[in-house]
Amino acid sequence: MASQAVRPPDGASPIVHQPPEFTGITNRRKIMKRILIVLASIAAFVLPMLAFAPAAQAQMPTGVVTNGMAWVPNPNAVPNATDPPYCTLGLVGTDSSGNKIAISARHCVEAKGMYFDGAPVYRWLANGTAGAQFGTIAHRSSGTHLGGYGTDWVVIKLNADADLFSNGPGARIDGIGNPPAFPQVLCKDGVTTGVKCGVVTGTSPGRIASIAFALGGDSGGPAWIDTNYGKIVGLVRGPGEFISIHAVLSEINSGTNPVGKGLVVTNN
C-alpha cells in the first residue's frame, strides 16, 4: 500500500500516514539495533577477560616413584604423631604385562578405613598433606589369617608415566634376596623411623621375626639382610614382625589377577 498525504491547512506541512507494514518494520529495526548495541557492549567486556584467562590446567606428570616413599589412600588424611596416616612403599617394578607396580602392606588400605580395589592412592608430603595421585589399588591378599589381613600385601598399579628408581630415600632395592634365617641381621627402611637393623629371631610361613625397630607409618617398607644390601626379603608389618616377600610373590603369581605377576624389581 502506498503512503497517503493529507492536505494540511494553508502554510502547514503535509501529514503523511505510513502504512502499518512500514511502521512494524521500523520498530523491528529499532529493536535489532538495541540488541546489537547490548551484544557489542558484552563483547567489549568479556573478550579482554578471555584473552588473559589461563589455559586449562594440564595434569602434572607422576614423577619419580621409589621404595621407601610415603603414601596414603586417603586424600584428606591429617597428621597424627601417635598413629600416622601414611605407610611406606616396599618396592617398585614391572610385571610381565608391562604394568608398573608397587607393593606395600594390605592393612594400610583397611586399618584406617576401607579402600577398595580401584581406589586411588596419593603421595604423603613432608608438609603433612596428601599430594598427587600416583596409582590405584590393584588387589590385595585374601583371608583373615596371620593377624587379620592374610599374608598382608597390597599391589598398587602405578600411573603409566611413573618414573621408577631403585634408590629410595633411605635404601636401595634392586632385586629379591634369599629367605632370611637366625642369626642373620635384618635391616628395614620406613618413613617414620628410617633404617634400623636387628637380628632375625625366627621365621614362620609368611612371617619373619626380628628385633629391627619399627613404628606406625613404617608399614609396607622394605627389609633386607645387611650382608646382601639391595635385595628385599620382606616388608614391615609392625614392631618385630615382617612379611615374607617370597610368600607375597608366591600368592601374587598363583592368583587370578594378572597385575603384579612375573614382577621384576626395578634395577637402575
Side-chain angles (χ1 to χ4, degrees):
M1 178 186 293
S3 59
Q4 298 176 349
V6 179
R7 183 181 180 84
D10 293 341
S13 300
I15 300 172
V16 179
H17 293 284
Q18 301 289 357
E21 297 88 348
F22 185 84
T23 302
I25 292 172
T26 301
N27 289 338
R28 285 196 294 273
R29 286 176 176 171
K30 290 180 179 179
I31 293 171
M32 287 300 298
K33 184 176 181 180
R34 291 172 182 168
I35 291 173
L36 290 174
I37 291 172
V38 171
L39 292 176
S41 299
I42 293 173
F45 177 74
V46 172
L47 290 177
M49 296 177 63
L50 294 177
F52 292 99
Q57 183 73 33
Q59 183 173 352
M60 296 295 291
T62 301
V64 173
V65 180
T66 71
N67 77 82
M69 192 179 90
W71 68 280
V72 290
N74 180 5
N76 300 310
V78 295
N80 185 324
T82 58
D83 188 18
Y86 55 81
C87 279
T88 306
L89 291 184
L91 61 80
V92 296
T94 305
D95 67 15
S96 58
S97 298
N99 299 303
K100 296 176 180 179
I101 68 164
I103 297 179
S104 192
R106 169 185 164 184
H107 69 263
C108 297
V109 297
E110 295 184 17
K112 298 179 178 66
M114 178 62 74
Y115 299 89
F116 296 99
D117 294 354
V121 293
Y122 306 88
R123 296 177 185 271
W124 181 253
L125 304 179
N127 64 3
T129 62
Q133 177 187 349
F134 67 92
T136 56
I137 300 169
H139 59 116
R140 67 195 75 190
S141 55
S142 60
T144 56
H145 57 290
L146 293 175
Y149 301 99
T151 301
D152 201 359
W153 52 263
V154 63
V155 173
I156 296 170
K157 184 177 180 181
L158 302 173
N159 295 344
D161 68 335
D163 293 325
L164 308 187
F165 279 87
S166 301
N167 292 328
R172 176 180 176 85
I173 297 297
D174 56 23
I176 308 295
N178 294 324
F182 174 82
Q184 291 178 308
V185 174
L186 180 139
C187 298
K188 74 100 188 66
D189 184 34
V191 175
T192 301
T193 62
V195 175
K196 304 293 181 184
C197 301
V199 173
V200 174
T201 58
T203 61
S204 60
R207 293 289 182 265
I208 303 164
S210 170
I211 61 173
F213 185 66
L215 290 175
D218 292 335
S219 292
W224 62 95
I225 297 303
D226 66 339
T227 55
N228 196 17
Y229 180 61
K231 310 305 179 186
I232 189 170
V233 298
L235 307 172
V236 178
R237 187 168 191 272
E241 187 178 15
F242 298 81
I243 306 159
S244 167
I245 196 65
H246 293 275
V248 171
L249 297 179
S250 176
E251 290 184 5
I252 292 172
N253 288 330
S254 63
T256 58
N257 194 314
V259 180
K261 285 189 175 185
L263 168 73
V264 174
V265 179
T266 297
N267 184 357
N268 57 14

